[in-house]
Amino acid sequence: MASAQLETTTAVETICSQSPIELEDMAVERLADLGILEIDFAIDRDTLRHAGFEHCLCDACAITDFEFLFQLPAFDRIPGQKIAVLSNITDGSVIFAVLNDGGDDIEIVRQDDMPSEIASFANAFMDVFLQLGDLAA
């Protein structure tokens, strides 16, 4: 019991010592983690097997706060893997959906956890789409 009280006291002291900006950053990170859980739970592995990677992700996005943006071209460094870019409609954050080598499961990966060359390429790709949209408007 004393150990639990000590842990609670330590957690409260840690939170109280944070600046408002740090607390906001913590809250945003927790919401992003909840979004990852939401899309991960929405992915139907049967749809993945029967209809494919993109269709599976589009179905999952349709019932969550995410939008399927695009699938990245294949990377030689990651043979056989498919990577899609998804955007959280609520906060605009970007996550990646990575098909495993067996083609039977999808891992949801935060942008910060992707290799930098893949994240940079995806950001450049999004910038091109935004510029094309601006030209069309």
Side-chain angles (χ1 to χ4, degrees), residues 69-105:
L69 297 180
F70 53 86
Q71 185 173 318
L72 290 171
F75 283 87
D76 289 338
R77 297 178 71 195
I78 308 173
Q81 256 182 359
K82 292 183 179 181
I83 302 172
V85 181
L86 310 176
S87 175
N88 187 316
I89 296 168
T90 306
D91 65 12
S93 64
V94 172
I95 60 172
F96 294 85
V98 181
L99 183 67
N100 70 355
D101 289 335
D104 60 357
D105 199 14

mmCIF file of all heavy atoms in Angstrom, residues 69-105:
data_model
loop_
_atom_site.group_PDB
_atom_site.id
_atom_site.type_symbol
_atom_site.label_atom_id
_atom_site.label_comp_id
_atom_site.label_asym_id
_atom_site.label_seq_id
_atom_site.Cartn_x
_atom_site.Cartn_y
_atom_site.Cartn_z
ATOM 1 N N LEU A 69 -4.212 8.502 -47.230
ATOM 2 C CA LEU A 69 -3.656 9.501 -48.136
ATOM 3 C C LEU A 69 -3.081 8.853 -49.394
ATOM 4 O O LEU A 69 -3.511 9.151 -50.500
ATOM 5 C CB LEU A 69 -2.573 10.327 -47.436
ATOM 6 C CG LEU A 69 -3.042 11.166 -46.249
ATOM 7 C CD1 LEU A 69 -1.881 11.923 -45.637
ATOM 8 C CD2 LEU A 69 -4.150 12.125 -46.670
ATOM 9 N N PHE A 70 -2.104 7.972 -49.218
ATOM 10 C CA PHE A 70 -1.482 7.307 -50.366
ATOM 11 C C PHE A 70 -0.601 6.170 -49.885
ATOM 12 O O PHE A 70 -0.262 6.081 -48.698
ATOM 13 C CB PHE A 70 -0.651 8.289 -51.206
ATOM 14 C CG PHE A 70 0.366 9.070 -50.422
ATOM 15 C CD1 PHE A 70 1.633 8.565 -50.171
ATOM 16 C CD2 PHE A 70 0.052 10.332 -49.930
ATOM 17 C CE1 PHE A 70 2.564 9.284 -49.448
ATOM 18 C CE2 PHE A 70 0.991 11.069 -49.206
ATOM 19 C CZ PHE A 70 2.245 10.535 -48.964
ATOM 20 N N GLN A 71 -0.261 5.326 -50.828
ATOM 21 C CA GLN A 71 0.689 4.250 -50.565
ATOM 22 C C GLN A 71 2.022 4.668 -51.156
ATOM 23 O O GLN A 71 2.091 5.148 -52.291
ATOM 24 C CB GLN A 71 0.196 2.957 -51.204
ATOM 25 C CG GLN A 71 1.056 1.766 -50.867
ATOM 26 C CD GLN A 71 0.449 0.478 -51.386
ATOM 27 O OE1 GLN A 71 -0.755 0.276 -51.275
ATOM 28 N NE2 GLN A 71 1.276 -0.366 -51.947
ATOM 29 N N LEU A 72 3.077 4.513 -50.379
ATOM 30 C CA LEU A 72 4.407 4.876 -50.857
ATOM 31 C C LEU A 72 4.900 3.854 -51.878
ATOM 32 O O LEU A 72 4.555 2.683 -51.805
ATOM 33 C CB LEU A 72 5.394 4.927 -49.688
ATOM 34 C CG LEU A 72 5.206 6.076 -48.708
ATOM 35 C CD1 LEU A 72 6.101 5.886 -47.498
ATOM 36 C CD2 LEU A 72 5.504 7.399 -49.364
ATOM 37 N N PRO A 73 5.721 4.318 -52.809
ATOM 38 C CA PRO A 73 6.354 3.357 -53.719
ATOM 39 C C PRO A 73 7.228 2.397 -52.929
ATOM 40 O O PRO A 73 7.660 2.708 -51.816
ATOM 41 C CB PRO A 73 7.215 4.232 -54.638
ATOM 42 C CG PRO A 73 6.931 5.639 -54.281
ATOM 43 C CD PRO A 73 6.132 5.677 -53.029
ATOM 44 N N ALA A 74 7.479 1.241 -53.498
ATOM 45 C CA ALA A 74 8.303 0.238 -52.819
ATOM 46 C C ALA A 74 9.710 0.771 -52.583
ATOM 47 O O ALA A 74 10.272 1.470 -53.426
ATOM 48 C CB ALA A 74 8.361 -1.032 -53.651
ATOM 49 N N PHE A 75 10.257 0.461 -51.443
ATOM 50 C CA PHE A 75 11.619 0.837 -51.109
ATOM 51 C C PHE A 75 12.493 -0.396 -51.220
ATOM 52 O O PHE A 75 12.172 -1.451 -50.689
ATOM 53 C CB PHE A 75 11.705 1.386 -49.675
ATOM 54 C CG PHE A 75 11.211 2.797 -49.542
ATOM 55 C CD1 PHE A 75 9.870 3.066 -49.326
ATOM 56 C CD2 PHE A 75 12.086 3.860 -49.655
ATOM 57 C CE1 PHE A 75 9.411 4.360 -49.196
ATOM 58 C CE2 PHE A 75 11.643 5.165 -49.530
ATOM 59 C CZ PHE A 75 10.306 5.413 -49.308
ATOM 60 N N ASP A 76 13.615 -0.277 -51.912
ATOM 61 C CA ASP A 76 14.518 -1.415 -52.068
ATOM 62 C C ASP A 76 15.038 -1.914 -50.726
ATOM 63 O O ASP A 76 15.316 -3.087 -50.572
ATOM 64 C CB ASP A 76 15.712 -1.038 -52.961
ATOM 65 C CG ASP A 76 15.294 -0.869 -54.412
ATOM 66 O OD1 ASP A 76 14.247 -1.430 -54.793
ATOM 67 O OD2 ASP A 76 16.010 -0.175 -55.146
ATOM 68 N N ARG A 77 15.183 -1.011 -49.770
ATOM 69 C CA ARG A 77 15.730 -1.401 -48.471
ATOM 70 C C ARG A 77 14.737 -2.229 -47.669
ATOM 71 O O ARG A 77 15.095 -2.864 -46.697
ATOM 72 C CB ARG A 77 16.130 -0.165 -47.682
ATOM 73 C CG ARG A 77 17.240 0.619 -48.383
ATOM 74 C CD ARG A 77 17.602 1.849 -47.631
ATOM 75 N NE ARG A 77 18.310 1.454 -46.419
ATOM 76 C CZ ARG A 77 18.516 2.262 -45.401
ATOM 77 N NH1 ARG A 77 18.066 3.493 -45.429
ATOM 78 N NH2 ARG A 77 19.168 1.857 -44.337
ATOM 79 N N ILE A 78 13.475 -2.194 -48.056
ATOM 80 C CA ILE A 78 12.455 -2.952 -47.346
ATOM 81 C C ILE A 78 11.702 -3.790 -48.394
ATOM 82 O O ILE A 78 10.605 -3.446 -48.807
ATOM 83 C CB ILE A 78 11.485 -2.018 -46.592
ATOM 84 C CG1 ILE A 78 12.262 -1.039 -45.728
ATOM 85 C CG2 ILE A 78 10.522 -2.832 -45.746
ATOM 86 C CD1 ILE A 78 11.415 0.020 -45.070
ATOM 87 N N PRO A 79 12.309 -4.864 -48.872
ATOM 88 C CA PRO A 79 11.701 -5.633 -49.952
ATOM 89 C C PRO A 79 10.372 -6.254 -49.543
ATOM 90 O O PRO A 79 10.219 -6.762 -48.444
ATOM 91 C CB PRO A 79 12.745 -6.706 -50.248
ATOM 92 C CG PRO A 79 13.580 -6.797 -49.026
ATOM 93 C CD PRO A 79 13.529 -5.460 -48.362
ATOM 94 N N GLY A 80 9.418 -6.169 -50.456
ATOM 95 C CA GLY A 80 8.128 -6.803 -50.242
ATOM 96 C C GLY A 80 7.185 -6.066 -49.322
ATOM 97 O O GLY A 80 6.028 -6.430 -49.212
ATOM 98 N N GLN A 81 7.643 -5.043 -48.645
ATOM 99 C CA GLN A 81 6.780 -4.337 -47.719
ATOM 100 C C GLN A 81 5.998 -3.250 -48.436
ATOM 101 O O GLN A 81 6.507 -2.595 -49.333
ATOM 102 C CB GLN A 81 7.600 -3.696 -46.608
ATOM 103 C CG GLN A 81 7.501 -4.434 -45.322
ATOM 104 C CD GLN A 81 8.285 -3.739 -44.220
ATOM 105 O OE1 GLN A 81 8.914 -2.716 -44.417
ATOM 106 N NE2 GLN A 81 8.243 -4.313 -43.046
ATOM 107 N N LYS A 82 4.773 -3.074 -48.002
ATOM 108 C CA LYS A 82 3.970 -1.951 -48.475
ATOM 109 C C LYS A 82 3.808 -0.993 -47.304
ATOM 110 O O LYS A 82 3.609 -1.407 -46.166
ATOM 111 C CB LYS A 82 2.598 -2.437 -48.943
ATOM 112 C CG LYS A 82 2.647 -3.280 -50.195
ATOM 113 C CD LYS A 82 1.252 -3.658 -50.630
ATOM 114 C CE LYS A 82 1.296 -4.478 -51.896
ATOM 115 N NZ LYS A 82 -0.051 -4.840 -52.351
ATOM 116 N N ILE A 83 3.887 0.298 -47.617
ATOM 117 C CA ILE A 83 3.750 1.323 -46.591
ATOM 118 C C ILE A 83 2.724 2.339 -47.071
ATOM 119 O O ILE A 83 2.833 2.865 -48.173
ATOM 120 C CB ILE A 83 5.092 2.033 -46.322
ATOM 121 C CG1 ILE A 83 6.160 1.027 -45.883
ATOM 122 C CG2 ILE A 83 4.917 3.132 -45.273
ATOM 123 C CD1 ILE A 83 7.551 1.610 -45.781
ATOM 124 N N ALA A 84 1.728 2.595 -46.227
ATOM 125 C CA ALA A 84 0.715 3.589 -46.542
ATOM 126 C C ALA A 84 0.803 4.731 -45.537
ATOM 127 O O ALA A 84 1.244 4.546 -44.400
ATOM 128 C CB ALA A 84 -0.675 2.971 -46.499
ATOM 129 N N VAL A 85 0.382 5.899 -45.980
ATOM 130 C CA VAL A 85 0.382 7.088 -45.134
ATOM 131 C C VAL A 85 -1.069 7.434 -44.821
ATOM 132 O O VAL A 85 -1.899 7.560 -45.731
ATOM 133 C CB VAL A 85 1.088 8.268 -45.843
ATOM 134 C CG1 VAL A 85 1.107 9.493 -44.949
ATOM 135 C CG2 VAL A 85 2.501 7.876 -46.248
ATOM 136 N N LEU A 86 -1.344 7.583 -43.527
ATOM 137 C CA LEU A 86 -2.682 7.919 -43.058
ATOM 138 C C LEU A 86 -2.618 9.225 -42.289
ATOM 139 O O LEU A 86 -1.621 9.514 -41.626
ATOM 140 C CB LEU A 86 -3.224 6.819 -42.132
ATOM 141 C CG LEU A 86 -3.139 5.382 -42.616
ATOM 142 C CD1 LEU A 86 -3.639 4.430 -41.533
ATOM 143 C CD2 LEU A 86 -3.907 5.183 -43.899
ATOM 144 N N SER A 87 -3.685 9.997 -42.360
ATOM 145 C CA SER A 87 -3.743 11.281 -41.656
ATOM 146 C C SER A 87 -4.910 11.275 -40.684
ATOM 147 O O SER A 87 -6.011 10.822 -41.018
ATOM 148 C CB SER A 87 -3.920 12.405 -42.668
ATOM 149 O OG SER A 87 -4.104 13.641 -42.012
ATOM 150 N N ASN A 88 -4.660 11.787 -39.484
ATOM 151 C CA ASN A 88 -5.715 11.929 -38.495
ATOM 152 C C ASN A 88 -6.519 13.175 -38.856
ATOM 153 O O ASN A 88 -5.978 14.281 -38.889
ATOM 154 C CB ASN A 88 -5.111 12.050 -37.096
ATOM 155 C CG ASN A 88 -6.150 12.035 -36.013
ATOM 156 O OD1 ASN A 88 -7.182 12.688 -36.120
ATOM 157 N ND2 ASN A 88 -5.878 11.302 -34.960
ATOM 158 N N ILE A 89 -7.787 13.002 -39.134
ATOM 159 C CA ILE A 89 -8.648 14.107 -39.559
ATOM 160 C C ILE A 89 -8.777 15.153 -38.455
ATOM 161 O O ILE A 89 -8.853 16.350 -38.717
ATOM 162 C CB ILE A 89 -10.047 13.576 -39.962
ATOM 163 C CG1 ILE A 89 -9.926 12.656 -41.170
ATOM 164 C CG2 ILE A 89 -11.010 14.717 -40.244
ATOM 165 C CD1 ILE A 89 -11.179 11.861 -41.466
ATOM 166 N N THR A 90 -8.745 14.721 -37.212
ATOM 167 C CA THR A 90 -8.941 15.619 -36.076
ATOM 168 C C THR A 90 -7.779 16.566 -35.871
ATOM 169 O O THR A 90 -7.961 17.770 -35.724
ATOM 170 C CB THR A 90 -9.176 14.803 -34.784
ATOM 171 O OG1 THR A 90 -10.246 13.893 -35.002
ATOM 172 C CG2 THR A 90 -9.498 15.706 -33.618
ATOM 173 N N ASP A 91 -6.551 16.018 -35.860
ATOM 174 C CA ASP A 91 -5.407 16.873 -35.534
ATOM 175 C C ASP A 91 -4.368 16.997 -36.650
ATOM 176 O O ASP A 91 -3.378 17.690 -36.498
ATOM 177 C CB ASP A 91 -4.729 16.400 -34.248
ATOM 178 C CG ASP A 91 -4.103 15.015 -34.363
ATOM 179 O OD1 ASP A 91 -3.977 14.496 -35.483
ATOM 180 O OD2 ASP A 91 -3.734 14.459 -33.312
ATOM 181 N N GLY A 92 -4.587 16.326 -37.772
ATOM 182 C CA GLY A 92 -3.669 16.437 -38.904
ATOM 183 C C GLY A 92 -2.387 15.636 -38.771
ATOM 184 O O GLY A 92 -1.536 15.684 -39.656
ATOM 185 N N SER A 93 -2.249 14.878 -37.689
ATOM 186 C CA SER A 93 -1.031 14.083 -37.528
ATOM 187 C C SER A 93 -0.991 12.958 -38.563
ATOM 188 O O SER A 93 -2.018 12.529 -39.082
ATOM 189 C CB SER A 93 -0.941 13.513 -36.115
ATOM 190 O OG SER A 93 -2.006 12.616 -35.875
ATOM 191 N N VAL A 94 0.216 12.517 -38.855
ATOM 192 C CA VAL A 94 0.429 11.489 -39.870
ATOM 193 C C VAL A 94 0.978 10.236 -39.200
ATOM 194 O O VAL A 94 1.832 10.325 -38.314
ATOM 195 C CB VAL A 94 1.420 11.996 -40.942
ATOM 196 C CG1 VAL A 94 1.815 10.901 -41.900
ATOM 197 C CG2 VAL A 94 0.812 13.169 -41.696
ATOM 198 N N ILE A 95 0.452 9.093 -39.616
ATOM 199 C CA ILE A 95 0.978 7.812 -39.169
ATOM 200 C C ILE A 95 1.194 6.934 -40.390
ATOM 201 O O ILE A 95 0.710 7.245 -41.486
ATOM 202 C CB ILE A 95 0.046 7.105 -38.152
ATOM 203 C CG1 ILE A 95 -1.327 6.837 -38.771
ATOM 204 C CG2 ILE A 95 -0.034 7.873 -36.860
ATOM 205 C CD1 ILE A 95 -2.228 5.983 -37.908
ATOM 206 N N PHE A 96 1.913 5.856 -40.199
ATOM 207 C CA PHE A 96 2.220 4.936 -41.282
ATOM 208 C C PHE A 96 1.625 3.569 -40.970
ATOM 209 O O PHE A 96 1.636 3.131 -39.817
ATOM 210 C CB PHE A 96 3.731 4.807 -41.462
ATOM 211 C CG PHE A 96 4.381 6.072 -41.922
ATOM 212 C CD1 PHE A 96 4.754 7.051 -41.026
ATOM 213 C CD2 PHE A 96 4.607 6.284 -43.275
ATOM 214 C CE1 PHE A 96 5.350 8.227 -41.447
ATOM 215 C CE2 PHE A 96 5.202 7.462 -43.713
ATOM 216 C CZ PHE A 96 5.573 8.437 -42.794
ATOM 217 N N ALA A 97 1.121 2.921 -41.996
ATOM 218 C CA ALA A 97 0.648 1.548 -41.891
ATOM 219 C C ALA A 97 1.611 0.699 -42.710
ATOM 220 O O ALA A 97 1.798 0.953 -43.901
ATOM 221 C CB ALA A 97 -0.771 1.430 -42.427
ATOM 222 N N VAL A 98 2.231 -0.273 -42.063
ATOM 223 C CA VAL A 98 3.274 -1.075 -42.701
ATOM 224 C C VAL A 98 2.821 -2.525 -42.765
ATOM 225 O O VAL A 98 2.559 -3.147 -41.736
ATOM 226 C CB VAL A 98 4.607 -0.966 -41.921
ATOM 227 C CG1 VAL A 98 5.701 -1.773 -42.595
ATOM 228 C CG2 VAL A 98 5.027 0.494 -41.778
ATOM 229 N N LEU A 99 2.745 -3.040 -43.987
ATOM 230 C CA LEU A 99 2.393 -4.447 -44.186
ATOM 231 C C LEU A 99 3.624 -5.295 -43.906
ATOM 232 O O LEU A 99 4.718 -4.994 -44.390
ATOM 233 C CB LEU A 99 1.926 -4.661 -45.627
ATOM 234 C CG LEU A 99 1.444 -6.066 -45.994
ATOM 235 C CD1 LEU A 99 0.153 -6.394 -45.240
ATOM 236 C CD2 LEU A 99 1.223 -6.168 -47.488
ATOM 237 N N ASN A 100 3.439 -6.359 -43.130
ATOM 238 C CA ASN A 100 4.589 -7.201 -42.822
ATOM 239 C C ASN A 100 4.991 -8.033 -44.047
ATOM 240 O O ASN A 100 4.274 -8.089 -45.046
ATOM 241 C CB ASN A 100 4.320 -8.089 -41.603
ATOM 242 C CG ASN A 100 3.299 -9.176 -41.868
ATOM 243 O OD1 ASN A 100 2.677 -9.261 -42.924
ATOM 244 N ND2 ASN A 100 3.106 -10.024 -40.881
ATOM 245 N N ASP A 101 6.159 -8.661 -43.958
ATOM 246 C CA ASP A 101 6.687 -9.435 -45.086
ATOM 247 C C ASP A 101 5.775 -10.584 -45.483
ATOM 248 O O ASP A 101 5.717 -10.957 -46.651
ATOM 249 C CB ASP A 101 8.088 -9.978 -44.764
ATOM 250 C CG ASP A 101 9.133 -8.872 -44.731
ATOM 251 O OD1 ASP A 101 8.917 -7.830 -45.382
ATOM 252 O OD2 ASP A 101 10.165 -9.053 -44.055
ATOM 253 N N GLY A 102 5.048 -11.157 -44.515
ATOM 254 C CA GLY A 102 4.134 -12.257 -44.810
ATOM 255 C C GLY A 102 2.842 -11.803 -45.476
ATOM 256 O O GLY A 102 2.071 -12.612 -45.985
ATOM 257 N N GLY A 103 2.587 -10.491 -45.454
ATOM 258 C CA GLY A 103 1.377 -9.946 -46.066
ATOM 259 C C GLY A 103 0.110 -10.229 -45.286
ATOM 260 O O GLY A 103 -0.994 -10.056 -45.805
ATOM 261 N N ASP A 104 0.256 -10.629 -44.014
ATOM 262 C CA ASP A 104 -0.933 -11.006 -43.251
ATOM 263 C C ASP A 104 -1.189 -10.141 -42.014
ATOM 264 O O ASP A 104 -2.085 -10.418 -41.237
ATOM 265 C CB ASP A 104 -0.855 -12.477 -42.840
ATOM 266 C CG ASP A 104 0.373 -12.774 -41.975
ATOM 267 O OD1 ASP A 104 1.187 -11.861 -41.748
ATOM 268 O OD2 ASP A 104 0.508 -13.931 -41.534
ATOM 269 N N ASP A 105 -0.402 -9.088 -41.839
ATOM 270 C CA ASP A 105 -0.627 -8.201 -40.700
ATOM 271 C C ASP A 105 -0.108 -6.798 -41.029
ATOM 272 O O ASP A 105 0.794 -6.629 -41.839
ATOM 273 C CB ASP A 105 0.064 -8.723 -39.449
ATOM 274 C CG ASP A 105 -0.501 -8.115 -38.170
ATOM 275 O OD1 ASP A 105 -1.586 -7.487 -38.212
ATOM 276 O OD2 ASP A 105 0.137 -8.266 -37.113
#
